[in-house]
Amino acid sequence: MKSPLRPGDPASLGGYRLLARLGEGGMGSVFLGRRDDGPLVAIKMIKPEYAHDEEFRGRFRSEVKRAWQVPPFCTAAVLDADPDHRTPYLVVEYVDGPSLDEVVAHEGPLADSRLHGVAVGVATALTAIHGAGVIHRDLKPQNVLFALGTPKVIDFGIARALEVTSQHTHPDQMVGTVAYMAPERFDGDHRDITPAADVFAWGAVIAYAGTGRTPFRADSPVATAARILTQPPDLTGLTGPLADLVALALSKVPEDRPTAHELLNLLLAQNTGSGAIGRPLREAAEAAQLSGRHVSGAGLRPEPRGGRRRTWAIIAAATAVTLLAAGVGLFSRRNLEPTAQPLPALTTMPVPGAVRGPWVVDALDRPGQWRAATDDYGGRCSFKNGLAMTTPSFAMVCPGTTRSFAGDQSISVDVSLDNARSCAEVQFRSAGDSSYWLDLCPRVIRIRHEGAVRNTTVGSAEQALFAPGKRRAVVLSVRDEVASVSVDGAVVLERKLTDPSLPAGKVAFGVGPTDEAKDQDAPAGAHVTRAEIRPIEDAVPSSAGTVPPFTDVRRGNTKSIVKVHGYFPKARSVVVEPVLFMTGDEYCDTFKVKSTSDAPCEQAWLTEDSRMVVTLPTSAAPRLTSTFDDPGRCAGDPVTVGTCAIGPEKLAERLGNNGLVEVTTTNGIVTAMADVYVP
């Protein structure tokens, strides 16, 4: 819930302009902010009393570094931090949606696919968090937010910095909310909390989501703690396999609980019937399953008793095999309202259009999905003749899309080097502290694997293709775990990838010195343009031919509904995702869905995401209209598109992330945007 800044609140912090308050907790205050023309972000500013403690700063610095490695699978991505600021702060993705406790308070307990979706989403987040070696420590309904109905977990990775600083914690104090704390957390001598405590919190959160009450509810925090330590959970109202999983997660003994990874495997095995989840959430869950290290606390706690841990590993493995054999492929359709009841899965629904994503397109000629930045060593990412990357000595990576790409994929980009001491670099399948790298140097092309323990060369080719100033078209494709590199259409290197634990991850572009120049502190530079990252699909189902495709906003003159992921007026750019937007009747007529009481036909408006995100240029003065201030006067017929003029800065702030607009383009340049109003 946003509220105005208070007297005494800073107007800015670390270059971010503070716009409103989002909340306040034991560690500090959370603000809504923005840097220049960037997206809205959430900024957590630490309280002054902790800022003066060097032990706290050290812990904060360490935990932030770990949190930065958490992949964005159902989590709010960590974007920036400054542990050395006068008041240390952390910047994360702003999730514009209600929290789980707000949803339950206003709408009552969740059920069926909606409850199962929350269970999968939170387990996906914990799998990603634990896989990066982080423990949340304060998982609760207030830290589960909904972005267009999809759950995202926030506030992970920094609670330990406070909890282990003895000056600020006492025998009767700890970080967290009592109702969601595992029994071992009440042991005054037990300071070595493991990821199993988060799994216990997952059980308590899902019990609350499904029943509207916590499973150990009592009249006071002390009485609640006593029930957690001595009594079984009250799960009245939960039924079926999900109730069994919640009960297992709430086991008193940490070793008797499944890990987050095992939990996610078992939840996905239940992804049928009333428990089916939508495609975006399912893909995030499957990517989380295949990335990271899936930390279970091994090495931090005693061996499990009676072989229970081994039993869970066997169950999880069997579940994974079952999922692969079944080829789960269910889809669900979302209503536009972020907290509306999800629609049932439609097993016969064809994939609409030709885009199956995730798919990223960016000319890299202006801020959009990539942005300007500098690093601590003088490296710089800027926009001049494309994305210009320079570094005085050490290799650097430019911040870009936070999307994760799994399976067969293609990465294409145009590359040129500034001098003979430079190598352009493509980082791919980056998850946690592991990734692959493609080095494009004046005399060699190389694929490397960088792991948590060691770095290895997967393959290299002596090719003098990248003379300074010569622009080359590079395509890196990965199919069936074989990476192939082509330059100007000719294959120059092909090698089998070596790490089976890295089937998915982020993509980034960077620059570094050649091997010969690494010890010379010689500056390196490179330019990249026309980036496109997409899945490799063998074919689109023939049934999709009867479905209207998504509008290709990159070409020609178009008018269509898109989802806005970021609008940057000063840079004259907007990041959009084409969607299908239609009434329930139109939707069911198009997709040949029979009208029933729970079908999409009964919905007022429906969207289908393309998952293709494109950065478009805007004209110098695009026509911008809105309904925000007065929908009754400014909503056009049929009450969907805004008609009243609005300024670019105000529209950018109001749209935030995932706002819907009607966009008009002329030869791929945006000339008008009108926000979409859904009553």
Side-chain angles (χ1 to χ4, degrees):
M1 183 72 69
K2 300 175 190 174
S3 62
L5 295 176
R6 300 174 185 172
D9 285 341
S12 63
L13 184 65
Y16 294 89
R17 180 166 53 96
L18 304 188
L19 306 173
R21 270 183 168 263
L22 295 177
E24 188 168 9
M27 293 184 68
S29 300
V30 185
F31 298 93
L32 180 68
R34 169 178 277 148
R35 171 177 280 175
D36 299 327
D37 292 326
L40 292 172
V41 295
I43 305 170
K44 187 159 202 171
M45 184 180 74
I46 304 303
K47 286 183 175 180
E49 57 260 38
Y50 304 140
H52 296 299
D53 187 327
E54 288 305 316
E55 182 184 359
F56 171 84
R57 280 186 183 270
R59 290 288 184 181
F60 183 79
R61 186 178 297 107
S62 175
E63 293 304 305
V64 163
K65 183 177 180 181
R66 287 176 177 269
W68 224 318
Q69 297 173 350
V70 175
F73 304 133
C74 294
T75 63
V78 175
L79 305 175
D80 195 8
D82 190 353
D84 300 313
H85 193 270
R86 182 172 56 86
T87 50
Y89 64 86
L90 176 73
V91 181
V92 300
E93 171 191 2
Y94 173 57
V95 182
D96 190 9
S99 63
L100 176 59
D101 66 317
E102 290 173 330
V103 172
V104 172
H106 288 105
E107 302 179 28
L110 310 184
D112 299 327
S113 62
R114 200 172 188 200
L115 177 60
H116 191 77
V118 172
V120 171
V122 179
T124 296
L126 289 183
T127 299
I129 292 167
H130 294 173
V134 175
I135 304 175
H136 192 295
R137 295 173 177 262
D138 194 20
L139 180 63
K140 55 189 177 183
Q142 294 91 329
N143 284 338
V144 180
L145 303 184
F146 291 87
L148 287 183
T150 300
K152 284 200 172 189
V153 172
I154 64 171
D155 261 6
F156 58 88
I158 60 174
R160 183 171 182 264
L162 178 64
E163 186 161 285
V164 301
T165 305
S166 58
Q167 180 177 334
H168 301 296
T169 52
H170 307 285
D172 60 342
Q173 294 179 330
M174 62 187 70
V175 174
T177 303
V178 170
Y180 304 95
M181 287 184 180
E184 62 267 26
R185 299 199 61 187
F186 298 104
D187 182 353
D189 295 327
H190 188 103
R191 308 293 292 185
D192 198 9
I193 303 302
T194 72
D198 284 347
V199 173
F200 185 97
W202 174 91
V205 166
I206 302 309
Y208 169 81
T211 67
R213 65 183 185 280
T214 56
F216 302 97
R217 183 174 57 178
D219 295 333
S220 69
V222 173
T224 298
R227 289 183 62 86
I228 290 173
L229 288 166
T230 63
Q231 301 297 314
D234 178 7
L235 301 180
T236 305
L238 284 183
T239 59
L242 183 59
D244 295 335
L245 285 183
V246 169
L248 285 167
L250 294 174
S251 298
K252 305 294 185 191
V253 179
E255 291 82 3
D256 288 345
R257 301 170 204 149
T259 66
H261 185 247
E262 291 165 350
L263 190 64
L264 183 57
N265 286 343
L266 295 169
L267 285 165
L268 290 180
Q270 300 173 11
N271 184 31
T272 56
S274 63
I277 59 174
R279 184 184 181 190
L281 177 56
R282 175 172 54 81
E283 290 180 344
E286 291 172 351
Q289 282 181 302
L290 299 172
S291 65
R293 298 190 299 276
H294 312 310
V295 175
S296 63
L300 300 178
R301 61 188 182 193
E303 286 295 314
R305 300 173 301 177
R308 189 63 172 270
R309 170 61 53 206
R310 181 174 180 272
T311 301
W312 269 114
I314 293 172
I315 293 174
T319 300
V321 172
T322 302
L323 284 172
L324 290 173
V328 178
L330 305 179
F331 300 87
S332 66
R333 309 297 166 185
R334 289 197 302 265
N335 186 279
L336 285 177
E337 293 295 330
T339 60
Q341 184 77 14
L343 299 167
L346 303 172
T347 58
T348 59
M349 187 66 64
V351 178
V355 179
R356 300 184 66 180
W359 195 316
V360 166
V361 180
D362 197 314
L364 300 179
D365 59 353
R366 66 195 67 216
Q369 297 174 78
W370 276 258
R371 58 189 185 274
T374 58
D375 68 12
D376 294 338
Y377 303 99
R380 180 177 177 82
C381 304
S382 59
F383 293 91
K384 185 177 181 181
N385 300 321
L387 177 60
M389 309 176 295
T390 58
T391 178
S393 54
F394 298 101
M396 68 163 295
V397 172
C398 293
T401 177
T402 59
R403 289 176 173 247
S404 188
F405 301 85
D408 294 347
Q409 62 186 272
S410 169
I411 304 166
S412 62
V413 67
D414 288 358
V415 176
S416 64
L417 304 180
D418 290 1
N419 54 56
R421 301 180 300 274
S422 306
C423 296
E425 297 180 342
V426 179
Q427 184 184 31
F428 63 105
R429 292 198 175 181
S430 173
D433 51 8
S434 298
S435 63
Y436 289 103
W437 295 83
L438 170 63
D439 300 331
L440 303 168
C441 305
R443 291 190 296 274
V444 67
I445 295 171
R446 176 172 54 213
I447 297 175
R448 294 181 289 118
H449 174 259
E450 185 175 281
V453 178
R454 61 175 181 167
N455 301 333
T456 58
T457 296
V458 177
S460 63
E462 299 288 337
Q463 295 277 355
L465 295 175
F466 288 90
K470 180 69 173 179
R471 188 172 299 276
R472 299 288 192 182
V474 178
V475 178
L476 167 64
S477 63
V478 179
R479 186 190 290 270
D480 296 329
E481 297 307 298
V482 174
S484 175
V485 182
S486 66
V487 178
D488 292 340
V491 175
V492 296
L493 179 63
E494 193 170 83
R495 288 293 187 276
K496 179 82 172 177
L497 298 181
T498 56
D499 188 346
S501 71
L502 273 182
K506 299 179 186 178
V507 172
F509 304 123
V511 66
T514 61
D515 292 342
E516 299 80 7
K518 283 181 179 178
D519 298 326
Q520 302 174 13
D521 287 335
H527 286 69
V528 292
T529 57
R530 298 200 310 168
E532 185 166 349
I533 310 165
R534 63 178 179 84
I536 297 175
E537 301 289 352
D538 291 326
V540 176
S542 58
S543 59
T546 61
V547 178
F550 298 99
T551 301
D552 188 348
V553 294
R554 300 171 296 172
R555 301 178 178 88
N557 303 335
T558 69
K559 178 179 285 189
S560 61
I561 303 296
V562 301
K563 184 186 294 182
V564 173
H565 291 286
Y567 176 34
F568 311 100
K570 292 181 180 178
R572 296 185 184 177
S573 68
V574 59
V575 180
V576 305
E577 177 183 357
V579 301
L580 296 181
F581 179 79
M582 57 186 71
T583 67
D585 289 339
E586 291 172 333
Y587 186 92
C588 289
D589 181 63
T590 300
F591 291 103
K592 311 302 180 187
V593 178
K594 293 182 179 180
S595 179
T596 63
S597 59
D598 59 355
C601 320
E602 304 301 319
Q603 305 298 317
W605 300 98
L606 289 163
T607 60
E608 174 65 34
D609 299 344
S610 67
R611 304 190 68 219
M612 179 179 187
V613 182
V614 184
T615 300
L616 295 176
T618 71
S619 61
R623 182 174 181 270
L624 307 176
T625 54
S626 173
T627 65
F628 282 122
D629 293 321
D630 189 352
R633 180 175 63 88
C634 301
D637 188 32
V639 201
T640 53
V641 178
T643 61
C644 295
I646 187 173
E649 298 291 344
K650 195 170 186 180
L651 181 62
E653 181 178 336
R654 295 274 180 90
L655 285 174
N657 189 22
N658 293 333
L660 288 172
V661 303
E662 181 186 75
V663 64
T664 302
T665 67
T666 302
N667 294 324
I669 299 174
V670 174
T671 57
M673 288 192 291
D675 79 285
V676 174
Y677 172 69
V678 182

